[in-house]
Amino acid sequence: MPIQVDVAVLGGGPGGYTAAIRAAQEGKKVAIVERSQLGGTCLHKGCIPSKALLRSAEVYASLLHADTYGIKIDREAFKLDFGAVQARKEKTVEQLHRGLIQLIKKHGIEVIYGKGRIVGPSIFSPKSGSLAVELDNGEMESVVSRHLIVATGSRPRQLPGLEADGVHVLTSDDALKLEALPETLLIAGGGVIGVEWASMLSDFGTKVTLVEAASRLLPAEDPDVSAAIAKALGSRGVRILTGATIQADSLVSGDAGVTITAKIGETQETLTADKLLVSVGRQANVESIGLENTDIAVKNGWIKVKSTLQTGEPHIYAIGDVTGGVQLAHAAAHEGIFAVEHLLGLDPQPLADHRIPRCVYSRPETASVGYTEEQARVKGHDPVVAKIPFAAIAKAIVQGDTEGFVKVIADRNSQDLLGVHMVGAHVTELIAEASLAQYLDAVPWEVGSSFHPHPSLSEAMGEAMLAINGKALNF
């Protein structure tokens, strides 16, 4: 007897489980089909475990500079226990996983663990929509729904010739399982993942070389952000090669480590390290989920969706990483909410990709929302810019961490808030104010005129907003 529900969700990551919860809140019968564990990549192989490791690295780096705060430590007795660091990471993930399971139970959502595949037709659709699920014990289950949401996520992209072996050539998934820290590491890819791992492992004491094909690190971010991160990592001994292309066919790996050639302009350089981490983006999990049984189109490896997140099958939606859009957990969650509200006919507000906050949890952190200066000009705006360094903020001085800035971009004529870009301690916590300001169409003087407690890092946001009109009070 098939399981019949109103909404079925294929994939239990942040997008999938958020969609399921939203549908359950509206009184719908919901089922999640998940091949592994609830929480998806974010909880088990991405956001959470990597941030747990980054937190340990931050604490370790802080202790190494404890004398700055008048605290003397015994360097001889002071050591890093990487096994304990990994154990803390696992404990953090498990705690959140248990909480998520209870949350799903609370909402009465059925979870079927197994490999789901779209088949058809179903009793609700003349074409397709039901799911055949191969359970972990080898048996088959059928799930029939009025609406299906595909949220199968993504996995680390691999390069031909640089396929991961989990020992010498690693993906970020493999790096999370390291039992010991490498003395040297070569990272191919200076985007978000590459920068976070470079920051983390350099703080742990690994000698890191970071190679990026573009002309700067974090090429999708504001150039000022890229420059600040390059300077910060460089000051901690990270070697950064930009405009450099790894020559995959030159890779030699073995017990002695890895050796590979990088082309930098017209020159070539041989690079060696204990391990190579390949962090060159993600690819969608579109294989073996039955798309060939549907009218769902796949373009450049990603499921093609309309602005409503509907696929070529109107009753089937796709959300999150699998669509190739903004590949962030909170973006997937909001897309899940949008998809459910659309299929329920609730007329949700359209999603705007540029208003989704982007965060990098390196040391220092970066956080951005909206357009860069270049993007604003391309959109036809006449941007005016204000920039306040954290060195001018009392709380940053108190904390002993004055690195970074808050940069605000507005339209010169309309005063519309176009973008906010930050580098510094805890800026990933500050970006929500800028996101809310854009959501409410607030202009900079309104944000700057609201209360920002003293002393707090949030004062940098208020000052930068006031500075757009030359009204900064403390800089």
Side-chain angles (χ1 to χ4, degrees), residues 355 408-411 415-420 434 437-438 442-444 447 465:
R355 290 191 170 184
V408 173
I409 304 170
D411 185 275
Q415 286 289 293
D416 286 343
L417 180 59
L418 302 178
V420 176
Q438 282 206 325
V443 294
V447 180
M465 293 289 180

Side-chain angles (χ1 to χ4, degrees), residues 69-324:
Y69 301 89
I71 302 169
K72 303 298 182 182
I73 61 174
D74 183 353
R75 290 299 184 96
E76 297 299 321
F78 184 70
K79 66 176 183 177
L80 172 68
D81 184 345
F82 191 66
V85 168
Q86 287 283 34
R88 178 183 181 273
K89 176 205 72 180
E90 294 299 328
K91 183 179 179 181
T92 300
V93 171
E94 181 55 34
Q95 179 180 341
L96 290 169
H97 184 222
R98 289 196 307 268
L100 178 57
I101 290 172
Q102 291 303 313
L103 181 64
I104 295 300
K105 286 181 179 178
K106 171 186 172 182
H107 287 281
I109 298 166
E110 184 171 2
V111 181
I112 301 119
Y113 290 99
K115 299 175 182 177
R117 183 180 180 86
I118 305 171
V119 296
S122 75
I123 61 175
F124 297 122
S125 170
K127 291 186 177 180
S128 62
S130 61
L131 291 171
V133 185
E134 181 183 352
L135 305 178
D136 293 341
N137 60 10
E139 296 183 3
M140 298 299 296
E141 183 66 86
S142 180
V143 179
V144 179
S145 61
R146 293 185 181 274
H147 298 280
L148 173 63
I149 298 174
V150 178
T152 48
S154 66
R155 62 189 184 275
R157 178 180 167 225
Q158 302 219 28
L159 294 176
L162 291 181
E163 291 84 2
D165 59 15
V167 179
H168 304 106
V169 181
L170 313 176
T171 66
S172 55
D173 290 359
D174 301 319
L176 287 170
K177 303 173 187 176
L178 285 171
E179 295 180 359
L181 288 167
E183 290 187 13
T184 57
L185 179 73
L186 174 62
I187 301 177
V192 174
I193 295 173
V195 165
E196 287 188 349
W197 279 97
S199 177
M200 176 207 305
L201 291 177
S202 65
D203 274 347
F204 279 141
T206 296
K207 189 70 174 177
V208 177
T209 299
L210 183 55
V211 181
E212 168 56 42
S215 61
R216 56 189 174 89
L217 299 181
L218 301 176
E221 295 299 332
D222 186 273
D224 286 350
V225 171
S226 298
I229 286 298
K231 180 180 178 181
L233 292 178
S235 70
R236 283 148 53 196
V238 176
R239 188 181 180 211
I240 299 169
L241 301 176
T242 54
T245 305
I246 293 289
Q247 306 296 297
D249 58 0
S250 69
L251 174 67
V252 176
S253 63
D255 292 341
V258 296
T259 300
I260 198 165
T261 300
K263 185 177 181 181
I264 311 165
E266 299 301 317
T267 65
Q268 289 190 340
E269 181 176 345
T270 299
L271 304 172
T272 61
D274 293 334
K275 297 180 185 295
L276 167 63
L277 171 61
V278 179
S279 58
V280 289
R282 315 258 320 160
Q283 64 186 79
N285 294 323
V286 294
E287 302 87 359
S288 304
I289 60 173
L291 297 184
E292 67 277 7
N293 300 320
T294 73
D295 287 335
I296 296 174
V298 176
K299 184 177 181 180
N300 298 324
W302 311 98
I303 292 180
K304 188 176 179 180
V305 293
K306 303 174 183 177
S307 60
T308 58
L309 299 180
Q310 290 170 291
T311 65
E313 302 271 9
H315 66 292
I316 301 180
Y317 293 71
I319 63 172
D321 283 11
V322 76
T323 69

Side-chain angles (χ1 to χ4, degrees), residues 444-459:
W445 73 262
E446 291 175 313
V447 180
S449 297
S450 66
F451 286 99
H452 293 85
H454 177 77
S456 73
L457 296 178
S458 70
E459 289 180 279

Side-chain angles (χ1 to χ4, degrees), residues 353-426:
D353 286 354
H354 74 285
R355 290 191 170 184
I356 299 171
R358 307 177 302 276
C359 299
V360 182
Y361 296 83
S362 51
R363 186 173 69 85
E365 297 177 346
T366 84
S368 305
V369 69
Y371 299 129
T372 64
E373 289 183 67
E374 181 182 0
Q375 290 169 339
R377 290 190 181 92
V378 169
K379 293 289 182 180
H381 296 282
D382 180 12
V384 58
V385 177
K387 188 174 177 182
I388 297 292
F390 277 108
I393 303 302
K395 182 63 178 293
I397 295 171
V398 168
Q399 287 190 169
D401 195 345
T402 58
E403 200 168 20
F405 57 84
V406 174
K407 179 178 181 178
V408 173
I409 304 170
D411 185 275
R412 190 179 303 275
N413 299 313
S414 69
Q415 286 289 293
D416 286 343
L417 180 59
L418 302 178
V420 176
H421 307 273
M422 299 187 286
V423 175
H426 308 298

